[in-house]
Amino acid sequence: MKKGNPFALIPIVVFLVLFIAVGIIDNSYGGMFGDSLPAIVGFVIALVVAFLQNPKGQKLSFEEKLNNMARGAGDENIMIMCLVFILAGAFSASVKAAGGVDSTVNFGLSIMPGSVAVVGVFVVGCFISTSMGTSVGTIVALAPIAIGISEKTGIAMPLCIGAAVCGAMFGDNLSMISDTTIAATRTQGCDMKDKFRENFKIALPAAILTAILLFLRTKGNDYVMEEALEYNFIRIVPYLVVLIGALAGLNVFMLLVGGTFLSLCIGIAYGDFTLIESFGIMGEGIMGMYDITVISIIVAGLVSLVRQNGGIDWLLYIIRRCIRGPKGAQIGIAALSSVVDCSTANNTVAIVIAGPIAKEIASDYDISPKRTASLLDIFTSVFQGLIPYGAQMLYASAATATAAVSVSSVEIVPFCYYPILLGICALVFIIFEKKKS
């Protein structure tokens, strides 16, 4: 077993220290965590540090290091992942422009009785986030409704907003077009439908328990919609096509292209935009994925240099000394992804960083790629839905700024039942699952 070189991890440490320190300083002056130091800038600085290092006992030329970085950045899985990011961005933008988001929200709330309004926010959030593939987008869509329910029923604002966050995080690690799902499956080399099934049997119990808790906490509070919520089921169809098609095992590229085309046709048919405008809509969606696409390429190159210098070998050496058996390995993967997410405040970036290490651990202890992808996605989502400085919590808190009662992200955390229960269910599943022959 190679002991590796702990100093090869310095570039990653540099990124984490910079990102966290600048975020804390900026936040203390009223800024939003992560805004002052964009992740891509931090990773470029880390990449420069990695280029200054050499493997233990060797001295490589700049060209050799550059070639190694390029091989890592151009890895087959990384390139496929980036292409899926781009197609997912085009689909999300087109279906939103075609009124899919509004129709989905209104349809879900229209069929839910007023006595379970807060539970309804959670359930609708589950469907929207699974369909849209974005937790932040789901929170933005649902937060105004959750605020209205709180103001009219007297139910605590943090509880209502927490229900929206819970629903958003449900689809964050289940959606076929979520950037976390794309990153987890591509770094581990498994099919999305297999990873979905692995996740779903853990996520479903957590979701049911969350709905029960929300019902008990809000029992006896009725909420009546003051006006009829308008929706068009045709506008929801693209979501259903992509979701059902992905579960059926159809090619994700074809599904996203087909879903985008269907959304644009619906939008044009209903007069939401013209054919010429549709190109701009797709362009905006694709540009919205630029950051995570470029970050994924840079991180892949950085990890390749860290691996070449012995950093991954050292990390695996330490982890293997602490792990005993497959269950311990799964808990190790869960802990690794959780710590990285808490450090970066971005679950997709956390998966891209932890993915290669998790794959090595899984290979050593014969853990299936779909299980590893599931663990990465679940535990990064668990903490992303709980850390008060993450984008989800910050957007949820910001939505209440103009409400009668504004709440901080810290006040919302205790009511984020779903992420907490998801983590508990996942640990129970790891510990008590019987080994298959």
Side-chain angles (χ1 to χ4, degrees):
M1 186 185 297
K2 293 181 181 179
K3 287 189 177 181
N5 177 19
F7 295 104
L9 293 171
I10 288 176
I12 295 177
V13 174
V14 167
F15 165 75
L16 294 177
V17 170
L18 270 175
F19 189 79
I20 294 171
V22 173
I24 291 173
I25 293 170
D26 186 45
N27 194 50
S28 66
Y29 285 98
M32 185 175 284
F33 189 91
D35 275 2
S36 293
L37 180 69
I40 184 61
V41 175
F43 280 120
V44 168
I45 294 171
L47 190 63
V48 171
V49 175
F51 268 113
L52 297 176
Q53 295 184 301
N54 283 294
K56 202 170 183 179
Q58 298 181 51
K59 187 170 178 61
L60 302 178
S61 67
F62 178 79
E63 287 74 17
E64 288 175 309
K65 296 176 184 177
L66 190 62
N67 289 336
N68 182 279
M69 187 216 74
R71 283 192 295 271
D75 179 80
E76 176 186 345
N77 285 321
I78 298 298
M79 289 297 101
I80 292 174
M81 178 172 69
C82 291
L83 182 56
V84 176
F85 280 151
I86 290 170
L87 293 176
F91 171 73
S92 296
S94 60
V95 77
K96 182 178 181 181
V101 177
D102 293 335
S103 283
T104 302
V105 172
N106 292 347
F107 172 73
L109 292 174
S110 295
I111 63 175
M112 297 293 290
S115 58
V116 290
V118 177
V119 179
V121 169
F122 168 66
V123 174
V124 172
C126 290
F127 181 73
I128 296 173
S129 57
T130 305
S131 304
M132 290 174 60
T134 165
S135 52
V136 171
T138 302
I139 291 170
V140 170
L142 280 180
I145 296 169
I147 291 169
I149 291 172
S150 173
E151 291 177 341
K152 289 181 173 60
T153 62
I155 299 173
M157 182 73 76
L159 176 58
C160 293
I161 295 294
V165 174
C166 288
M169 298 315 298
F170 176 85
D172 190 72
N173 70 92
L174 278 176
S175 174
M176 298 296 179
I177 60 171
S178 168
D179 46 7
T180 59
T181 293
I182 296 167
T185 53
R186 294 318 309 175
T187 57
Q188 304 308 308
C190 68
D191 290 335
M192 289 188 179
K193 68 178 189 304
D194 294 332
K195 181 258 182 188
F196 177 90
R197 291 166 184 163
E198 195 73 17
N199 267 36
F200 190 70
K201 57 189 177 185
I202 299 172
L204 183 60
I208 292 172
L209 290 172
T210 300
I212 293 172
L213 274 174
L214 289 172
F215 174 75
L216 294 175
R217 287 298 303 266
T218 60
K219 190 177 180 181
N221 290 280
D222 290 341
Y223 176 69
V224 179
M225 294 291 177
E226 294 182 351
E227 56 185 29
L229 296 174
E230 296 183 359
Y231 63 88
N232 186 332
F233 193 78
I234 298 297
R235 297 179 185 272
I236 306 174
V237 169
Y239 283 142
L240 297 176
V241 168
V242 172
L243 183 60
I244 295 171
L247 289 175
L250 299 181
N251 184 279
V252 67
F253 292 99
M254 300 305 297
L255 280 174
L256 289 173
V257 170
T260 302
F261 178 75
L262 182 59
S263 300
L264 294 177
C265 287
I266 292 172
I268 293 170
Y270 280 99
D272 299 315
F273 45 80
T274 65
L275 176 62
I276 301 299
E277 289 172 336
S278 70
F279 298 125
I281 290 168
M282 285 193 294
E284 288 178 9
I286 291 171
M287 286 189 289
M289 301 301 283
Y290 274 6
D291 279 356
I292 191 60
T293 300
V294 175
I295 285 172
S296 298
I297 294 171
I298 296 295
V299 169
L302 173 64
V303 170
S304 184
L305 287 176
V306 170
R307 182 188 299 278
Q308 176 183 257
N309 295 334
I312 303 299
D313 285 336
W314 182 82
L315 201 54
L316 291 171
Y317 174 75
I318 297 298
I319 291 173
R320 284 164 184 154
R321 290 186 63 181
C322 301
I323 288 175
R324 296 292 182 270
K327 291 184 186 294
Q330 291 180 62
I331 292 174
I333 292 170
L336 172 68
S337 53
S338 301
V339 170
V340 177
D341 181 71
C342 290
S343 301
T344 60
N346 186 307
N347 43 348
T348 307
V349 172
I351 290 171
V352 173
I353 294 173
I357 303 169
K359 190 172 184 178
E360 296 271 5
I361 298 171
S363 177
D364 284 352
Y365 291 91
D366 198 25
I367 302 169
S368 67
K370 64 180 181 180
R371 170 59 63 82
T372 311
S374 175
L375 291 174
L376 283 169
D377 209 348
I378 284 176
F379 281 94
T380 52
S381 290
V382 165
F383 284 90
Q384 192 64 29
L386 292 175
I387 53 175
Y389 51 88
Q392 288 78 0
M393 286 296 189
L394 293 174
Y395 273 100
S397 174
T400 68
T402 57
V405 179
S406 61
V407 295
S408 68
S409 56
V410 175
E411 293 177 275
I412 301 170
V413 172
F415 300 99
C416 292
Y417 302 134
Y418 176 74
I420 297 169
L421 290 169
L422 180 64
I424 294 171
C425 287
L427 288 174
V428 169
F429 190 80
I430 291 171
I431 295 169
F432 294 103
E433 185 192 27
K434 293 182 179 179
K435 183 177 177 60
K436 296 180 180 178
S437 59

